[in-house]
Amino acid sequence: MEAAIITIMALLFLAFVALGVYATVKVAKAAKRGVDRTLDQARRTVEDTTLRAKSFGQAGVAGELARLRLSLRTSMRATQEALRAGVAEDASLKESLDLFHRLSAHGLELDEDLKRMEREPDKAWVAGQLPELTRRTEQITGSAEALRRAARDRALKFAEDDLSSLSAQIDVEAGALRHWDRSETAPDPTAADAWGSPTGTAGPAAGDEPPAITAPDPRRTAYPWEKSARPETTT
């Protein structure tokens, strides 16, 4: 019996240890992913800033390559954010998001080619490649822009339809609220108000004397919470 209890306690201890190790690993992986995302975001920000500075500060081949890379990255990032935000509310955008993932593969390949061109020492040869690189960039960014605009137009159309339907419902409700029968709200001259006076008259007619007000007999006034008075006995 004691051996069984010891075995059970040992298994429970091992289970708690394993659970603790698993939780620690999960937390460590989550923290690592958070750090990686932060580093990636910082690296992208630095790269975008550098490309922006090159596109405005440098002329010739270097400036044109920076401009192409910046245009490509800006368009792809904007389309990705728009589709990811829209697919949460519109499931039909999932197919568009899948198409964008396929387009992203071509965009990443082009970005790597542009990076290699920036390190290429033969600038004359790079200048000869610029027309083709520009064509590829415009084709990819044009496709990304088409997806982005279509998703935006779809969201606006749904919003306009919902607003039109809501406005129509509000107009119907407002018309129902304004539709009343004045005969129902007009005062009835024969009806009596809470004080016993007719609602259609301002007061007693001229020449009529108001009824006399007689004070109640305190001995005859009874309240529900009072006990009945006992009759007096005579001797």
Side-chain angles (χ1 to χ4, degrees):
M1 185 65 181
E2 294 180 356
I5 294 176
I6 293 175
T7 302
I8 293 174
M9 296 296 293
L11 292 176
L12 289 176
F13 176 76
L14 292 176
F16 283 123
V17 170
L19 182 61
V21 172
Y22 175 78
T24 302
V25 171
K26 293 289 289 184
V27 171
K29 288 183 177 180
K32 183 178 183 300
R33 287 194 297 269
V35 172
D36 291 341
R37 284 195 298 268
T38 302
L39 292 177
D40 291 341
Q41 181 65 31
R43 184 176 64 254
R44 286 194 296 267
T45 302
V46 171
E47 289 180 354
D48 290 346
T49 303
T50 302
L51 290 175
R52 191 171 291 106
K54 288 182 178 180
S55 63
F56 287 105
Q58 294 184 1
V61 175
E64 185 63 20
L65 290 174
R67 187 189 67 80
L68 292 177
R69 287 192 64 197
L70 184 61
S71 174
L72 175 66
R73 293 162 65 93
T74 302
S75 179
M76 298 297 285
R77 185 178 299 118
T79 303
Q80 183 182 47
E81 292 175 355
L83 292 178
R84 285 182 176 177
V87 77
E89 300 179 356
D90 187 358
S92 61
L93 290 179
K94 186 178 183 303
E95 184 177 354
S96 299
L97 189 59
D98 293 338
L99 292 175
F100 174 76
H101 289 159
R102 294 173 57 187
L103 183 65
S104 295
H106 294 278
L108 292 174
E109 181 181 359
L110 175 59
D111 190 59
E112 292 296 328
D113 291 342
L114 292 173
K115 284 182 181 179
R116 285 192 293 269
M117 292 298 175
E118 289 178 341
R119 298 188 296 267
E120 174 63 40
D122 189 354
K123 299 304 179 183
W125 179 80
V126 174
Q129 301 299 317
L130 279 178
E132 176 62 18
L133 294 173
T134 301
R135 185 195 65 80
R136 290 174 60 191
T137 302
E138 292 177 350
Q139 183 178 7
I140 293 175
T141 56
S143 297
E145 183 178 357
L147 285 174
R148 187 172 66 252
R149 288 184 175 179
R152 183 173 60 248
D153 293 343
R154 181 180 178 86
L156 290 176
K157 178 61 177 176
F158 284 164
E160 290 177 358
D161 291 344
D162 183 68
L163 180 59
S164 298
S165 176
L166 179 60
S167 298
Q169 294 177 13
I170 291 175
D171 291 340
V172 172
E173 180 65 17
L177 291 175
R178 292 190 180 97
H179 182 72
W180 60 80
D181 189 357
R182 295 186 179 273
S183 62
E184 296 178 359
T185 59
D188 185 1
T190 62
D193 60 9
W195 302 105
S197 300
T199 56
T201 59
D208 294 342
E209 295 182 358
I213 300 177
T214 304
D217 187 355
R219 293 175 298 177
R220 300 179 60 182
T221 303
Y223 298 94
W225 58 85
E226 290 184 346
K227 294 182 179 179
S228 299
R230 294 182 181 181
E232 297 181 359
T233 58
T234 57
T235 58

